[in-house]
Amino acid sequence: MFSSAAQYAVRATAYLGSLEQDGFVPARSIAGELNIPPTFLSKVLRQLVDAGILSAYRGPTGGVRLARPASQVSVRQIVEAIDGDALFTECILGLPGCGNRKPCPMHEAWAVHRSALAEEFERQTVDTLSTAYTLGDLRLGP
């Protein structure tokens, strides 16, 4: 559905949102907790910092944390920070110029699902994910 980088970004931000502390969390700690390759996760976290979703602090006590309240960061914002908006705007078959004037065979069906997916990803926030993770028997890692 979306890239592994976007999946890792959603998992990492949900994990950060579940922590009771406001301090910076080392990327290596997040990677270990979620069983994500540390080098790859560091690149993903950098993209989230660049998008203003996370803030970072360098040094021995450094790491990352949410840049704004978890309730103000949607899953859609996270996915778009990593993968762009293609999931919510492009043809499912990858055909350029697909639209109402020149639709692909999947255009009508995908347009409905794409719209619903965009709305759901906008509705879901880091707060809703991290609360579900914290209160339920849900997982963010394998």
Coordinates of all heavy atoms in Angstrom, one line a residue, residues 15 20 29 33 35 49 55 61 88 102 113-114 123 127 130 137-138:
Y15 N 4.9 5.1 18.4 CA 5.7 4.7 19.6 C 6.1 6.0 20.4 O 5.9 6.0 21.6 CB 6.9 4.0 19.2 CG 7.8 3.6 20.3 CD1 7.5 2.7 21.3 CD2 9.0 4.3 20.5 CE1 8.3 2.4 22.3 CE2 9.9 4.0 21.5 CZ 9.5 3.0 22.4 OH 10.4 2.8 23.5
E20 N 5.5 8.4 28.0 CA 5.0 9.4 28.9 C 6.0 10.6 29.1 O 5.7 11.6 29.6 CB 4.7 8.8 30.3 CG 3.5 7.8 30.2 CD 3.1 7.3 31.6 OE1 3.5 7.9 32.6 OE2 2.4 6.3 31.6
S29 N 17.3 3.5 20.1 CA 16.3 2.9 21.1 C 15.0 2.6 20.4 O 14.4 1.6 20.7 CB 16.0 3.9 22.3 OG 17.2 4.1 23.0
E33 N 13.4 -1.1 19.9 CA 12.0 -1.4 20.4 C 11.1 -1.9 19.4 O 10.3 -2.8 19.6 CB 11.5 -0.1 21.1 CG 10.2 -0.4 21.9 CD 10.4 -1.2 23.1 OE1 11.5 -1.1 23.8 OE2 9.5 -2.0 23.5
N35 N 12.1 -3.1 16.3 CA 12.8 -4.1 15.4 C 12.8 -3.5 14.0 O 12.4 -4.2 13.0 CB 12.1 -5.4 15.5 CG 12.9 -6.5 14.9 OD1 14.2 -6.4 14.9 ND2 12.3 -7.6 14.4
V49 N 11.7 15.0 10.6 CA 12.3 16.2 11.2 C 12.1 17.3 10.1 O 11.7 18.4 10.4 CB 13.7 16.1 11.7 CG1 14.3 17.4 12.0 CG2 13.8 15.2 12.9
S55 N 11.1 16.8 16.2 CA 12.2 17.7 16.4 C 13.4 16.8 16.9 O 13.1 15.8 17.5 CB 11.9 18.8 17.4 OG 11.5 18.3 18.6
T61 N 22.8 13.1 24.8 CA 21.5 12.9 25.3 C 20.4 13.3 24.3 O 19.3 13.5 24.6 CB 21.2 13.9 26.6 OG1 21.4 15.2 26.1 CG2 22.1 13.5 27.7
F88 N -2.9 9.3 -2.4 CA -4.2 10.0 -2.2 C -4.6 10.7 -3.5 O -5.7 11.3 -3.6 CB -4.1 11.0 -1.1 CG -3.6 10.3 0.2 CD1 -2.4 10.7 0.7 CD2 -4.4 9.4 0.9 CE1 -1.9 10.1 1.9 CE2 -3.9 8.8 2.0 CZ -2.7 9.1 2.5
K102 N -10.0 10.8 -19.2 CA -9.4 9.7 -19.8 C -9.1 8.7 -18.6 O -8.0 8.5 -18.2 CB -8.0 10.1 -20.4 CG -8.2 10.8 -21.7 CD -6.9 11.0 -22.4 CE -6.7 9.9 -23.4 NZ -5.5 9.9 -24.2
H113 N -12.4 4.7 -3.1 CA -11.5 4.1 -2.0 C -10.4 5.1 -1.7 O -10.1 5.3 -0.5 CB -11.0 2.8 -2.5 CG -12.0 1.8 -2.6 ND1 -12.8 1.3 -1.6 CD2 -12.5 1.1 -3.7 CE1 -13.7 0.4 -2.0 NE2 -13.5 0.3 -3.3
R114 N -9.9 5.8 -2.7 CA -8.8 6.7 -2.4 C -9.3 7.9 -1.6 O -8.6 8.3 -0.6 CB -8.3 7.2 -3.8 CG -7.1 8.2 -3.7 CD -6.7 8.7 -5.0 NE -7.8 9.4 -5.7 CZ -7.9 9.4 -7.0 NH1 -7.0 8.8 -7.8 NH2 -8.9 10.0 -7.6
R123 N -8.1 11.4 9.7 CA -8.8 11.3 10.9 C -7.9 10.6 12.0 O -7.9 11.0 13.2 CB -10.1 10.5 10.8 CG -11.0 10.5 12.0 CD -12.3 9.7 11.7 NE -12.0 8.2 11.6 CZ -11.7 7.4 12.6 NH1 -11.7 7.9 13.8 NH2 -11.5 6.1 12.4
D127 N -2.0 10.5 18.2 CA -2.6 10.2 19.5 C -3.5 9.0 19.5 O -3.5 8.2 20.4 CB -3.4 11.5 19.9 CG -3.9 11.4 21.3 OD1 -3.2 11.0 22.2 OD2 -5.1 11.7 21.5
S130 N -1.3 5.9 19.3 CA -0.5 5.6 20.5 C -1.4 5.2 21.6 O -1.1 4.4 22.5 CB 0.4 6.8 20.8 OG -0.3 7.9 21.0
D137 N -4.2 -4.4 23.5 CA -3.1 -5.4 23.4 C -2.7 -5.4 21.9 O -2.7 -6.4 21.2 CB -3.6 -6.8 23.8 CG -2.5 -7.8 23.8 OD1 -1.4 -7.4 24.0 OD2 -2.9 -9.0 23.7
L138 N -2.3 -4.2 21.5 CA -1.9 -4.0 20.1 C -0.4 -3.9 20.0 O 0.3 -3.5 20.9 CB -2.6 -2.7 19.5 CG -4.1 -2.7 19.7 CD1 -4.7 -1.4 19.2 CD2 -4.7 -3.8 19.0

